């Protein structure tokens, strides 16, 4: 999408650290200096810090952490994820809007993103605390070529993509089966995936991702402080959400391409390498039972493989895991 | 894939035997036969169109003359017109979350877009819609039960 705004952003980016005159920008973009000035005001509203100095011109001091459609388009080089972005400052839930848009025919790769969710969704009707300016709350619409029987592994593939992205940033995240992301034994990110399908055809999948980024300990609800964390809490650093979002989209594209071409087998191996507590005892809560078992890994469909006390292996498709202190 | 005649023969054999469950798998094809409490024999094949049901009447006593192949169910014995099946292996949830009411119960009317249940595996949630209009006459699985691909979950009578 090559709007004037995007071209302006690009020219400023090329001259990062230097002043660019209004006249130069006006010549480059073929618009008046007054129009340039208006665009600058709009960029400021998006969160860019712009120095405007008479007779010198404009300089972008800092690309912003504030999210907007413009900042999300800044230097975006994905091939399908985020080619259409719906950004809301505040929304009930990105997942709900994405599902509604998907029902109305929104394209493969459309992403709904919000700065704040007032009723962010977790699994099983639980909520996800999503205050403004602190996290990544997004839902990606996928229209796959594969059928509903192959869909469940996508949630594990998404966890691999997220964990890869974090590790590229030097963050030692791990996966808790099937697709929670943990850092230092606390939950950092969650994935909620919903599918609308017929017998052999998937209408759409909406992949919802929630990541705690810049929350401080006091920003987390007291009842989850011992279980949840944020990148900031663990690294004592402010993170730029926009950069992380682009990185995650790239990794999602890479994993998705792999999955659709080569199947789940190759991703399964990587999933196991990134998994937490492999070979250790865990507490398992299924819809019908609670027991302890040794976490052996995952099967060909991504299902949980557990060794029970009688030595037999059990395959589980739905469960919550809890760590046991040994 | 098994021929219809072979399937019928299998059903008859198992119906007359003391076997309660029979599973057969070869090259991506899977046949599961299960005797339910009311002596119903249920056949599930992985291709969605291959779901068929034997007569619901109790098995005839052994001394009575048996046809080689069970006769098709009389129209009156079948009290439903279609079944809602699972699209994947996973856990059947009859309600949106543990504290809420079931999506539907026997006797409820459903429209095509009525959500009847959720099937979940590896945190992928599939909201299943009725896809037919009618009345729910039977719920075949319980909340929290593991279901197979193509397994019937509800029976619907069109009206």
């Amino acid at each position: 999408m090559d709007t004037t705004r995007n071209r302006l952003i690009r020219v400023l980016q090329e001259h990062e650290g230097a002043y660019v005159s209004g006249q130069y920008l006006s010549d480059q973009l073929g618009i008046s200096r007054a129009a340039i000035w208006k665009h600058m005001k709009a960029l400021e509203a998006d969160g860019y810090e712009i120095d405007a100095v008479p007779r010198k011109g404009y300089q972008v001091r800092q690309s912003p952490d504030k999210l907007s459609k413009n900042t999300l388009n800044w230097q975006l080089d994905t091939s399908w994820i985020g080619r259409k972005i719906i950004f809301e400052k505040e929304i009930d839930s990105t997942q709900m809007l994405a599902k509604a848009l998907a029902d109305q025919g929104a394209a493969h790769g459309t992403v709904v993103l919000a700065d704040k969710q007032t009723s962010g969704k977790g699994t099983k009707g639980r909520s996800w605390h999503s205050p403004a300016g602190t996290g990544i709350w997004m839902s990606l619409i996928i229209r796959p070529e594969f059928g509903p029987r192959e869909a469940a592994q996508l949630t594990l593939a998404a966890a691999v993509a997220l964990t890869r992205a974090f590790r590229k940033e030097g963050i030692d995240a791990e996966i808790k089966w099937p697709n929670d992301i943990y850092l230092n034994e606390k939950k950092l990110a969650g994935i909620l995936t919903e599918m609308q399908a017929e017998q052999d055809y998937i209408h759409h999948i909406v992949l919802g991702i929630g990541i705690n980024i810049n929350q401080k300990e006091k920003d987390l609800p007291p009842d989850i402080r011992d279980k949840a964390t944020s990148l900031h809490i663990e690294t004592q650093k402010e993170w730029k959400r926009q950069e992380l979002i682009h990185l995650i989209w790239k990794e999602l594209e890479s994993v998705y391409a792999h999955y659709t071409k080569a199947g789940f087998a190759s991703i399964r191996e990587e999933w196991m390498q990134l998994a937490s507590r492999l070979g250790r005892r865990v507490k398992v809560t299924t819809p019908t039972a609670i027991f302890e078992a040794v976490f052996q890994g995952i099967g060909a469909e991504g299902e949980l493989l557990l060794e029970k006390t009688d030595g037999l292996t059990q395959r589980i498709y739905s469960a919550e895991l809890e760590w046991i202190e040994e | 894939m098994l021929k219809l005649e072979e399937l019928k023969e299998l059903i008859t054999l198992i119906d007359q035997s003391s076997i309660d469950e029979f599973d057969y798998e070869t090259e991506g094809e899977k046949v599961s036969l299960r005797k339910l409490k009311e002596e119903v024999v249920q056949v599930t094949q992985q291709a969605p169109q291959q779901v068929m049901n034997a007569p619901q009447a109790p098995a005839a006593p052994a001394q009575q003359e048996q046809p080689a192949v069970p006769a098709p169910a009389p129209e009156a014995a079948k009290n439903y017109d279609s079944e809602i099946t699972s699209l994947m292996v996973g856990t059947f949830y009859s309600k949106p979350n543990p504290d809420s009411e079931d999506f539907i119960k026997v006797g409820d009317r459903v429209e095509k877009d009525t959500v009847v249940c959720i099937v979940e595996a590896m945190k992928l949630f599939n909201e299943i819609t009725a896809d037919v209009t009618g009345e729910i006459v039977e719920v075949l699985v319980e909340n929290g039960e593991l279901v197979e691909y193509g397994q019937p979950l509800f029976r619907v009578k069109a009206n």
Side-chain angles (χ1 to χ4, degrees):
Chain A
M1 214 170 31
D2 208 31
T3 61
T4 306
R5 181 76 48 84
N6 285 352
R7 281 161 59 215
L8 173 62
I9 287 169
R10 207 156 49 234
V11 174
L12 291 168
Q13 181 74 9
E14 282 160 11
H15 296 82
E16 210 171 347
Y19 284 92
V20 187
S21 75
Q23 189 58 52
Y24 177 80
L25 288 170
S26 160
D27 293 345
Q28 286 287 305
L29 302 174
I31 56 173
S32 70
R33 291 176 64 168
I36 296 281
W37 184 80
K38 275 186 192 162
H39 278 297
M40 290 297 177
K41 286 290 153 204
L43 287 178
E44 272 183 346
D46 272 350
Y48 290 85
E49 284 182 42
I50 292 167
D51 270 348
V53 179
R55 282 179 299 279
K56 277 170 126 182
Y58 300 98
Q59 181 184 183
V60 174
R61 273 205 310 231
Q62 202 185 347
S63 51
D65 180 50
K66 188 169 168 185
L67 292 181
S68 71
K69 211 164 162 174
N70 284 322
T71 59
L72 287 164
N73 276 321
W74 170 280
Q75 292 182 322
L76 177 63
D77 66 343
T78 54
S79 63
W80 60 277
I81 298 179
R83 298 321 297 182
K84 178 152 177 63
I85 296 168
I86 288 109
F87 175 80
E88 302 283 342
K89 275 191 177 150
E90 184 176 323
I91 198 174
D92 46 2
S93 138
T94 59
Q95 196 74 1
M96 268 150 61
L97 178 59
K99 280 163 69 180
L101 292 171
D103 281 338
Q104 293 159 26
H108 178 62
T110 302
V111 180
V112 177
L113 243 136
D115 194 46
K116 173 185 180 176
Q117 294 184 109
T118 52
S119 49
K121 278 174 78 177
T123 54
K124 299 221 177 101
R126 288 187 285 237
S127 66
W128 187 286
H129 186 66
S130 336
T134 60
I136 296 173
W137 330 119
M138 63 182 173
S139 295
L140 164 65
I141 296 169
I142 301 171
R143 298 188 182 277
E145 310 249 312
F146 51 80
R149 297 180 69 185
E150 278 85 50
Q153 290 91 55
L154 195 61
T155 71
L156 287 89
V160 167
L162 243 67
T163 309
R164 264 196 209 167
F166 287 132
R167 293 207 176 182
K168 280 193 176 168
E169 292 292 318
I171 302 155
D172 209 15
E174 290 184 315
I175 306 172
K176 177 173 154 185
W177 186 88
N179 60 10
D180 282 339
I181 311 296
Y182 272 63
L183 180 56
N184 301 332
E185 312 271 295
K186 288 180 172 184
K187 186 159 167 173
L188 177 69
I191 300 173
L192 167 64
T193 315
E194 295 175 88
M195 171 173 80
Q196 281 294 322
E198 285 172 30
Q199 285 294 359
D200 289 305
Y201 172 73
I202 296 176
H203 290 286
H204 60 254
I205 288 174
V206 178
L207 186 78
I209 296 175
I211 311 169
N212 294 334
I213 306 288
N214 286 326
Q215 288 102 324
K216 298 176 179 62
E217 184 124 19
K218 64 173 172 55
D219 299 327
L220 296 176
D223 58 315
I224 62 165
R225 272 177 209 167
D226 59 332
K227 295 178 279 194
T229 194
S230 74
L231 280 188
H232 179 83
I233 292 169
E234 300 300 323
T235 63
Q236 303 302 316
K237 204 179 125 182
E238 288 284 323
W239 290 81
K240 282 198 178 150
R241 287 176 293 164
Q242 180 255 19
E243 286 170 15
L244 286 168
I245 289 166
H246 285 190
L247 183 58
I248 289 163
W249 287 353
K250 292 290 279 184
E251 292 301 334
L252 279 170
E253 282 189 351
S254 152
V255 169
Y256 187 84
H258 212 73
Y259 177 55
T260 47
K261 280 191 200 90
F264 184 62
S266 53
I267 297 166
R268 176 176 172 262
E269 223 157 89
E270 190 178 350
W271 188 98
M272 298 242 257
Q273 283 164 13
L274 300 173
S276 187
R277 303 266 171 152
L278 206 63
R280 291 171 67 181
R281 286 190 76 73
V282 291
K283 184 179 165 196
V284 186
T285 305
T286 73
T288 48
I290 299 176
F291 56 92
E292 287 184 18
V294 176
F295 171 35
Q296 289 183 314
I298 52 171
E301 295 180 291
E303 78 278 22
L304 183 61
L305 300 181
L306 297 168
E307 189 187 303
K308 299 191 73 175
T309 38
D310 56 12
L312 294 175
T313 296
Q314 190 174 5
R315 292 170 188 274
I316 300 271
Y317 290 83
S318 306
E320 302 282 335
L321 298 192
E322 280 172 75
W323 303 150
I324 300 167
E325 295 318 319
E326 292 155 303
Chain B
M1 186 169 285
L2 283 175
K3 292 199 191 76
L4 187 60
E5 285 307 308
E6 293 173 273
L7 261 180
K8 283 180 176 171
E9 199 173 335
L10 256 179
I11 293 169
T12 313
L13 286 170
I14 288 161
D15 208 3
Q16 292 167 353
S17 76
S18 58
I19 298 170
D20 282 324
E21 276 186 57
F22 174 78
D23 288 300
Y24 168 77
E25 197 165 356
T26 178
E27 293 178 350
E29 185 191 353
K30 193 173 156 196
V31 177
S32 301
L33 297 170
R34 266 196 311 283
K35 274 188 196 166
L36 302 180
K37 283 176 205 132
E38 301 81 20
E39 295 279 328
V40 176
V41 180
Q42 187 175 300
V43 183
T44 314
Q45 248 189 318
Q46 285 200 322
Q49 297 312 316
Q50 305 293 323
V51 178
M52 39 174 285
N53 289 84
Q56 281 197 287
Q63 63 266 40
Q64 257 184 269
E65 199 186 320
Q66 284 258 348
V69 170
E75 275 309 303
K78 196 178 132 187
N79 68 337
Y80 65 94
D81 299 293
S82 57
E83 288 177 331
I84 303 170
T85 59
S86 178
L87 304 179
M88 58 186 218
V89 178
T91 303
F92 171 88
Y93 296 103
S94 59
K95 42 185 125 185
N97 62 63
D99 303 324
S100 39
E101 297 279 302
D102 286 351
F103 286 107
I104 49 155
K105 53 188 188 305
V106 169
D108 284 357
R109 273 200 60 77
V110 291
E111 305 294 327
K112 286 190 173 190
D113 58 356
T114 306
V115 175
V116 292
C117 67
I118 290 171
V119 173
E120 175 263 334
M122 280 75 85
K123 297 273 159 77
L124 173 93
F125 293 82
N126 177 211
E127 251 181 24
I128 296 186
T129 48
D131 278 336
V132 289
T133 304
E135 183 193 330
I136 299 287
V137 291
E138 202 172 346
V139 182
L140 300 164
V141 281
E142 279 182 36
N143 189 45
E145 206 176 298
L146 182 70
V147 296
E148 296 292 325
Y149 173 79
Q151 181 173 336
L153 309 172
F154 299 93
R155 287 182 172 154
V156 186
K157 187 166 178 56
N159 56 14

